Amino acid sequence: MRRWGWLVVLVVGLVLFEAVRRVLLVTQNPNLVPSLILLGAAVAPAAFVTFVLGRRLDYSIGAGPIALVAFLGGVVGVVAAGLLEFDAMRSLGTLPMLGVALIEESAKLVAPLLVLLLTARRGHPADGLLVGVASGAGFAALETMGYGFVVLVRSNGDLGAVDDVLLLRGVLSPAAHMAWTGLTAAALWYAARRRTGRAAGRALLVFVLAVALHTTWDSVGGFVAYGVLAVVSLGLLTGFAHRLPHRAPGTALPA
C-alpha cells in the first residue's frame, strides 16, 4: 500500500482542490481563496514526497519526522532565502539569477543539515535523499503559495490566472526544488558516512550542480526548456536513488 500511497494523496488532493474551486466560483466567497491556494501549492509536493517514501530504499527515518522536516524546511528555507535575498538586493541592486539560486539552494539545506547533525552516526544516504526532497517540497509549496497570492492581487482576483500558476509550479516542483535538494542532501549524507575528502568534494560538486540547474531554470523560459531541465533533474535523482541500498521485500518502514 505504501508503494501506491502517492497516488491516493494525489487523487484525494486534486478532488479537494476541485471541490474548493467549484464552490468558490459559485459562492464567490473570498474566505475560500486561502484553502484553494494551499491545496494547489501542496498537493503535488506532498504526492512526490509520498512517492519517494514508498520506494524500497534503506530508510531509517519515518513519515512523521519527514512531515516535520517538510514543514520546518519550508518555513526556515523561505524565511532565510527571503531575508538573504532582500539584504543582497539592498547592497547589490538587482540580484543575479546565480545569486538567487545560491541563496535558495543553501537555505533549503538548513533543515536537512540539522537532521544530519542529529543522525550522522546512524543515518543512510537514502535518508538524505528523502529529507532533502521533503525540505524542497516544503519550500516549493510555500513559495508557490506566495506566487499564487501575488498573481491573485495583481490580476484583480482572476482565479484563472491563479490556477495557471498553481498548475505550472505544482507539476514542475518535483523536478525543481525537490530534486535539487534531494540530490544535495543525499550527497551530504554520503559524505558524512564516508568522512573522506573525496566524498566531501563530491558533495560540493553536487551542490554546485544543483545551483547551476537552478540558475538555468530561472534564466530560461518556455515548456521545452523546462521539460529538458526536468528530465535532467529527475534523471539524476533517479540514477542516484538506484545506486542506494534497497530494503528486502516485506521489510517495514520505520514509524
Side-chain angles (χ1 to χ4, degrees), residues 11-97:
V11 171
V12 171
L14 290 176
V15 168
L16 292 174
F17 173 80
E18 183 62 17
V20 172
R21 191 178 74 87
R22 287 182 179 274
V23 173
L24 177 58
L25 290 174
V26 171
T27 65
Q28 296 295 309
N29 184 354
N31 291 335
L32 295 174
V33 172
S35 298
L36 182 78
I37 294 177
L38 172 61
L39 286 168
V43 169
F48 190 70
V49 171
T50 308
F51 173 81
V52 175
L53 184 62
R55 301 309 92 190
R56 290 194 179 125
L57 296 176
D58 190 17
Y59 300 128
S60 62
I61 186 170
I66 285 302
L68 181 60
V69 167
F71 176 74
L72 293 178
V75 174
V76 173
V78 168
V79 170
L83 179 61
L84 291 173
E85 289 173 8
F86 176 74
D87 288 341
M89 289 180 68
R90 283 198 306 174
S91 58
L92 301 177
T94 302
L95 195 60
M97 293 302 178

Side-chain angles (χ1 to χ4, degrees), residues 75-219:
V75 174
V76 173
V78 168
V79 170
L83 179 61
L84 291 173
E85 289 173 8
F86 176 74
D87 288 341
M89 289 180 68
R90 283 198 306 174
S91 58
L92 301 177
T94 302
L95 195 60
M97 293 302 178
L98 176 61
V100 172
L102 181 61
I103 289 172
E104 292 189 357
E105 290 306 312
S106 300
K108 288 185 294 177
L109 289 175
V110 173
L113 285 173
L114 291 176
V115 176
L116 180 60
L117 290 175
L118 295 174
T119 63
R121 294 185 178 181
R122 56 185 177 87
H124 305 293
D127 293 333
L129 185 145
L130 180 58
V131 167
V133 166
S135 182
F139 186 94
L142 290 180
E143 189 178 55
T144 298
M145 289 174 64
Y147 277 102
F149 177 75
V150 170
V151 168
L152 181 70
V153 173
R154 290 180 176 176
S155 65
N156 295 318
D158 184 357
L159 293 179
V162 176
D163 287 344
D164 291 342
V165 170
L166 296 178
L167 177 62
L168 178 62
R169 294 186 61 85
V171 170
L172 294 178
S173 61
H177 285 303
M178 300 168 72
W180 303 329
T181 311
L183 283 168
T184 306
L188 288 174
W189 256 253
Y190 181 83
R193 286 182 67 85
R194 289 301 181 94
R195 298 186 179 183
T196 64
R198 183 176 181 180
R202 183 178 299 176
L204 179 60
L205 286 176
V206 173
F207 176 74
V208 171
L209 175 61
V211 172
L213 288 170
H214 192 154
T215 302
T216 305
W217 187 285
D218 288 345
S219 302

